[in-house]
Amino acid sequence: MNDSFDELTARFLSWFKQLPGATFSDAIAIQDLRSRKAGRGIIALQDIAPDTVLFTIPRRSIINVETSALRARLPALFSDEGVSSHGAADDDDPSSSQLDSWSALILVLLYEHLQGAAGDSAWKPYLDVLPDTFATPMFWTPEELAALQASATVGKIGRESAENMFRGILLPAVRAHADVFAGSAALSDEQLVALAHRMGSTIMAYAFDLENDEGDEDEDEDGWVEDRDGKAMMGMVPMADILNADAEFNAHVNHGDDELTVTALRPIKAGEEILNYYGPHPNAELLRRYGYVTERHARYDVVEVPWTAVEAAAASTLGLAPDAWAKVRGVLDEDELEDTFVLERDCPEVTPEGTFPAAPAAAQFVALPGDLQEQLKEFLKAVRAVDPGLIPDKRKRDELQGAIVARVLAQLEAQYPTTLAQDEQLLLASDAVLGDKERMALVVRVGEKRLLQEARQFLEAAAQRGGGGDGTASPVKKARLE
């Protein structure tokens, strides 16, 4: 495609304004923000008052299973028998596997992309402004991934499982209907799988869940919903996905029956960027899903603590012999044990205007995960049942609990090849020294190391107070582990 960046933007904006029911305020404009490594964005041209409608998107303009012609052309693929909320595959016949909302939207977007290449998609001006490359770890080399060091993000990329789904479900569907998927016959399997990866990453980074006005059980108090389990209708929303996002934001997408409207949450000065909100994600998750990190999201950084690491630290701290260890396992109901726990800060919610609360309501580490404390306590009770001499009283148990967690934190820190001080010094390097991916990986691991340091300092302070490192239990936000 030889059209320039600005020409594609102008064509998309013209197309959008002509959609029946669409509006786009004269107070805003789409601008080229590549100098900020932000692609396109929307900027205020003049001061904007709160509650101003910035733009309106008619639901019929959204790309999803309901609006694409693919469903009408291949109804069997999207029948009740062919669409599942779980996406379970039939191991005996992958081509007949059920589609969840995730794989269904990938198939729809792949169809529309191919139609657009043939000049037959109604969404072509929109498809043309979607990216064709991504900075998400899904596309990183092993050497680039190594920069994430011990971050749990590396284990969540899911390239292999995605590729298995593409080859087992989507590729057979496309090959069986080459007449429907325009130009697909000329593409090799590898080219189609690469295109599916691109469509999947487009959806991960840009798609909206379209049923969050029904009071979804996963919705938080700010009305933000995130579903990647195939349970909600997902769609590509023209113009809404031009908005960039941050942890402090000034606009909100409102879901109506017939349209989505984007409104200003607070006064926006001329020249300010209009920012949406993706939710309280740690930088590691921002990188995995969207391919960027921001300073403001560092408050939401987390560190995952595997129970296996806790067990190993406990065995080492207690000096349990193998036979005693086996007896402890016999006392515990291992089916009831959690596999992973989340270290995180206590973060006050953003205000209704999309800003962080004023000090002293700062994000800070104030407690160990409550479920980790409870599970470790039950573990130590099991140890006492096997060998009462190891834990004669509650005071000793609390002391051991703090010592075990301290050892776990030290072991987690030791898994990173570089220290926090070394990484913070490296962050000061110029862009000429650090590439974009290396810098983002550095931001992720610095955030995790800072949190581990805060957790250690919390334990040390609790031990000095005689609290044994137990602290006050805080709820664990399981959604962070998606």
Side-chain angles (χ1 to χ4, degrees):
M1 183 175 297
N2 298 320
D3 296 300
S4 73
F5 191 90
D6 290 340
E7 287 173 337
L8 293 175
T9 300
R11 188 177 303 152
F12 164 67
L13 181 59
S14 175
W15 170 84
F16 179 82
K17 287 181 175 180
Q18 292 174 27
L19 293 172
T23 66
F24 191 83
S25 172
D26 292 336
I28 59 176
I30 302 174
Q31 290 193 4
D32 183 349
L33 302 182
R34 287 178 293 175
S35 62
R36 305 182 194 174
K37 306 184 190 306
R40 291 176 177 83
I42 298 181
I43 303 294
L45 298 177
Q46 59 193 55
D47 292 351
I48 297 173
D51 299 321
T52 298
V53 174
L54 303 175
F55 52 91
T56 304
I57 308 125
R59 281 190 177 265
R60 292 301 303 171
S61 70
I62 296 171
I63 302 178
N64 61 22
V65 172
E66 301 292 337
T67 57
S68 172
L70 181 61
R71 183 170 189 166
R73 298 187 69 178
L74 298 176
L77 279 179
F78 300 94
S79 66
D80 291 340
E81 292 75 24
V83 179
S84 165
S85 63
H86 304 292
D90 181 345
D91 293 335
D92 296 329
D93 183 9
S95 65
S96 68
S97 297
Q98 295 176 324
L99 298 172
D100 62 3
S101 65
W102 177 255
S103 55
L105 186 56
I106 294 176
L107 197 61
V108 163
L109 199 56
L110 194 151
Y111 166 80
E112 293 297 339
H113 172 82
L114 293 171
Q115 290 292 107
D120 292 331
S121 175
W123 286 280
K124 180 172 171 52
Y126 169 48
L127 298 172
D128 285 346
V129 297
L130 293 173
D132 53 15
T133 60
F134 294 86
T136 51
M138 176 75 77
F139 300 98
W140 290 17
T141 66
E143 293 74 22
E144 290 167 337
L145 289 173
L148 287 165
Q149 297 186 350
S151 175
T153 308
V154 177
K156 295 183 174 185
I157 296 170
R159 184 175 180 88
E160 183 178 352
S161 60
E163 187 132 340
N164 289 339
M165 187 268 284
F166 298 156
R167 293 185 183 277
I169 300 176
L170 302 189
L171 188 58
V174 173
R175 289 302 189 208
H177 304 285
D179 58 322
V180 173
F181 291 90
S184 62
L187 300 177
S188 68
D189 286 359
E190 295 307 314
Q191 288 174 315
L192 281 173
V193 168
L195 187 57
H197 271 297
R198 175 181 160 189
M199 299 300 103
S201 292
T202 300
I203 292 165
M204 175 71 82
Y206 292 98
F208 283 70
D209 296 313
L210 301 175
E211 296 179 344
N212 64 354
D213 50 352
E214 299 295 327
D216 190 288
E217 63 181 3
D218 293 328
E219 183 173 348
D220 69 13
E221 293 180 7
D222 297 318
W224 169 78
V225 175
E226 181 63 42
D227 174 49
R228 289 292 183 264
D229 296 325
K231 298 177 182 177
M233 171 68 72
M234 297 170 62
M236 298 294 299
V237 184
M239 196 60 72
D241 53 19
I242 298 293
L243 293 172
N244 291 312
D246 207 343
E248 287 191 293
F249 49 102
N250 52 23
H252 180 68
V253 181
N254 305 286
H255 293 242
D257 292 337
D258 300 315
E259 72 285 314
L260 278 63
T261 57
V262 176
T263 57
L265 292 174
R266 52 187 164 90
I268 302 173
K269 294 291 186 183
E272 284 187 36
E273 184 175 5
I274 312 300
L275 292 172
N276 193 12
Y277 182 52
Y278 289 163
H281 294 308
N283 269 321
E285 196 67 357
L286 277 188
L287 177 61
R288 185 183 75 87
R289 294 183 180 186
Y290 310 112
Y292 73 95
V293 296
T294 80
E295 181 180 348
R296 288 187 177 92
H297 272 271
R299 60 170 35 211
Y300 300 121
D301 285 339
V302 302
V303 172
E304 295 183 18
V305 182
W307 176 244
T308 52
V310 179
E311 283 187 323
S316 178
T317 301
L318 294 164
L320 281 176
D323 59 334
W325 180 250
K327 291 179 181 177
V328 170
R329 285 186 171 276
V331 173
L332 294 168
D333 183 354
E334 296 198 7
D335 291 338
E336 296 297 318
L337 297 179
E338 294 286 344
D339 294 327
T340 309
F341 305 91
V342 182
L343 293 179
E344 60 187 343
R345 298 177 181 87
D346 181 43
C347 295
E349 293 183 4
V350 292
T351 68
E353 292 75 35
T355 59
F356 294 151
Q364 55 186 322
F365 190 90
V366 298
L368 296 172
D371 51 356
L372 170 58
Q373 295 181 51
E374 288 303 314
Q375 188 157 306
L376 184 51
K377 187 179 295 183
E378 291 303 312
F379 175 85
L380 292 175
K381 286 181 180 179
V383 171
R384 188 170 190 272
V386 171
D387 188 347
L390 286 174
I391 309 176
D393 52 36
K394 181 181 181 298
R395 184 177 209 178
K396 181 63 174 177
R397 186 192 69 198
D398 290 346
E399 178 185 312
L400 284 169
Q401 188 160 333
I404 290 168
V405 175
R407 178 169 287 196
V408 171
L409 296 180
Q411 291 172 346
L412 291 175
E413 282 185 298
Q415 292 176 3
Y416 294 87
T418 56
T419 67
L420 175 58
Q422 289 171 330
D423 284 352
E424 288 178 329
Q425 185 63 35
L426 189 55
L427 267 181
L428 301 176
S430 68
D431 289 342
V433 175
L434 288 175
D436 291 344
K437 294 175 184 176
E438 187 178 0
R439 184 174 291 279
M440 290 191 293
L442 183 59
V443 168
V444 167
R445 70 184 197 237
V446 163
E448 293 172 354
K449 291 175 188 180
R450 284 174 177 166
L451 181 58
L452 283 168
Q453 182 182 76
E454 291 174 32
R456 281 195 301 101
Q457 292 170 345
F458 167 81
L459 279 178
E460 291 165 3
Q464 289 174 1
R465 294 193 304 268
D470 198 15
T472 303
S474 64
V476 176
K477 296 180 177 64
K478 297 288 188 182
R480 303 282 180 84
L481 282 174
E482 291 176 359

